[in-house]
């Protein structure tokens, strides 16, 4: 699963955003934002083969777009992380009056960093307590087809640059390959170490047997 786009907004006013690839989904999200209720809540909207997840808290919307409609846990963990860091950095009152993109320069790198982390496959969101918390959170999440939400004539074709997506997938494959090579190398080192220890032990036992015991008394004079 890959999170390819995320933003923080107040209503339709985008305060910060980051995209991992090129495409027209920033345009699509502006339409989606106009349909998101201002009340606190969370939901997922399916759009073609992509899915938008959002969390609204205190009038601030945290939204992401990913490419696997059946995966919800990691995107919502990502959004919770972004929400926590955003509130820690800006508090409650400042975002309520901030102008569009006034936080983009500072907070877009934060979104990028957390997106890379949750896309890396190393995000530690599988602990029992975290899973239990997220099960409770996702329990109330509704998944709707965005076509049911958008009015007639509002749907915009979602275009994603396939070259960028392939480059991103190749980068992930390279990282996975590097990790696999490193794992195989360590297993080889462990195997050599074990074989060396076994050979040394066998040599010691054979030598002890030939020399009359563990004290090697029959071989001392040789």
């Amino acid at each position: 699963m890959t999170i390819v786009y995320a933003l923080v907004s107040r209503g339709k006013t985008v305060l910060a955003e980051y995209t991992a690839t090129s495409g027209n989904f920033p345009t699509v999200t502006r339409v989606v934002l106009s349909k998101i209720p201002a009340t606190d809540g969370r939901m997922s909207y399916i759009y073609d083969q992509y899915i938008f997840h959002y969390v609204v808290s205190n009038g601030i919307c945290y939204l992401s777009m990913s490419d696997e409609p059946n995966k919800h846990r990691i995107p919502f963990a990502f959004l919770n992380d972004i929400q926590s860091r955003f509130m820690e950095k800006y508090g409650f009152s400042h975002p309520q009056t901030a102008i569009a993109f006034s936080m983009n320069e500072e907070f877009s790198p934060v979104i990028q960093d957390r997106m890379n982390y949750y896309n890396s496959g190393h995000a530690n969101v599988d602990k029992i307590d975290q899973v239990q918390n997220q099960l409770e959170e996702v329990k109330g999440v509704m998944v709707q087809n965005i076509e049911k939400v958008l009015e007639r004539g509002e749907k915009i074709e979602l275009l994603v640059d396939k070259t960028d997506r392939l480059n991103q997938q190749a980068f992930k494959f390279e990282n996975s390959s590097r990790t696999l090579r490193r794992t195989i190398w360590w297993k080889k080192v462990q195997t050599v170490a074990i074989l060396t220890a076994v050979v040394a032990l066998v040599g010691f036992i054979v030598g002890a047997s030939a020399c009359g015991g563990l004290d090697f008394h029959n071989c001392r004079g040789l």
Side-chain angles (χ1 to χ4, degrees), residues 45-134:
Y45 289 146
I46 297 175
Y47 194 106
D48 294 332
Q49 74 271 35
Y50 297 93
I51 184 164
F52 292 90
H53 303 275
Y54 76 80
V55 174
V56 175
S57 177
N58 296 319
I60 303 300
C61 177
Y62 308 87
L63 180 144
S64 70
M65 187 185 91
S66 58
D67 60 3
E68 288 194 27
N70 297 323
K71 300 291 181 66
H72 305 285
R73 182 168 45 84
I74 291 179
F76 277 114
F78 164 73
L79 292 176
N80 289 338
D81 192 351
I82 291 298
Q83 177 187 358
S84 176
R85 292 170 187 271
F86 186 83
M87 293 302 297
E88 180 181 353
K89 189 174 186 64
Y90 298 109
F92 173 77
S93 59
H94 182 34
Q96 304 301 322
T97 58
I99 63 175
F101 292 100
S102 58
M103 300 169 177
N104 197 61
E105 184 176 355
E106 282 187 338
F107 202 71
S108 181
V110 177
I111 299 176
Q112 177 184 6
D113 175 72
R114 303 321 296 161
M115 186 182 294
N116 290 339
Y117 173 71
Y118 283 92
N119 283 339
S120 68
H122 302 306
N124 189 14
V125 295
D126 288 321
K127 290 183 178 179
I128 293 178
D129 56 341
Q130 293 173 326
V131 171
Q132 289 175 339
N133 290 337
Q134 289 170 18

Side-chain angles (χ1 to χ4, degrees), residues 7-206:
L7 62 76
V8 180
S9 73
R10 184 187 66 252
K12 292 186 290 184
T13 303
V14 177
L15 304 176
E17 68 179 351
Y18 174 75
T19 174
T21 184
S22 60
N24 73 329
F25 37 83
T27 303
V28 176
T29 56
R30 301 309 186 266
V31 179
V32 176
L33 287 175
S34 68
K35 303 301 178 183
I36 295 178
T39 55
D40 289 3
R42 58 182 62 218
M43 190 177 289
S44 300
Y45 289 146
I46 297 175
Y47 194 106
D48 294 332
Q49 74 271 35
Y50 297 93
I51 184 164
F52 292 90
H53 303 275
Y54 76 80
V55 174
V56 175
S57 177
N58 296 319
I60 303 300
C61 177
Y62 308 87
L63 180 144
S64 70
M65 187 185 91
S66 58
D67 60 3
E68 288 194 27
N70 297 323
K71 300 291 181 66
H72 305 285
R73 182 168 45 84
I74 291 179
F76 277 114
F78 164 73
L79 292 176
N80 289 338
D81 192 351
I82 291 298
Q83 177 187 358
S84 176
R85 292 170 187 271
F86 186 83
M87 293 302 297
E88 180 181 353
K89 189 174 186 64
Y90 298 109
F92 173 77
S93 59
H94 182 34
Q96 304 301 322
T97 58
I99 63 175
F101 292 100
S102 58
M103 300 169 177
N104 197 61
E105 184 176 355
E106 282 187 338
F107 202 71
S108 181
V110 177
I111 299 176
Q112 177 184 6
D113 175 72
R114 303 321 296 161
M115 186 182 294
N116 290 339
Y117 173 71
Y118 283 92
N119 283 339
S120 68
H122 302 306
N124 189 14
V125 295
D126 288 321
K127 290 183 178 179
I128 293 178
D129 56 341
Q130 293 173 326
V131 171
Q132 289 175 339
N133 290 337
Q134 289 170 18
L135 283 175
E136 291 300 316
E137 294 171 351
V138 176
K139 192 181 296 181
V141 174
M142 294 178 60
V143 178
Q144 295 185 4
N145 192 306
I146 200 169
E147 292 182 359
K148 296 179 181 179
V149 180
L150 301 181
E151 297 175 0
R152 183 177 301 176
E154 280 189 306
K155 184 174 180 182
I156 304 170
E157 185 181 358
L158 182 57
L159 303 174
V160 177
D161 192 317
K162 300 301 182 182
T163 301
D164 285 355
R165 293 296 309 285
L166 288 173
N167 288 340
Q168 185 180 47
Q169 291 172 1
F171 177 75
K172 291 174 64 177
F173 177 77
E174 182 181 353
N175 286 341
S176 300
S177 299
R178 188 181 301 113
T179 301
L180 179 61
R181 287 197 301 270
R182 190 183 304 116
T183 302
I184 294 174
W185 183 81
W186 274 112
K187 286 185 177 180
K188 287 183 178 178
V189 170
Q190 292 173 351
T191 301
V192 170
I194 293 172
L195 289 176
T196 301
V198 170
V199 170
L201 179 61
V202 170
F204 177 80
I205 293 174
V206 171

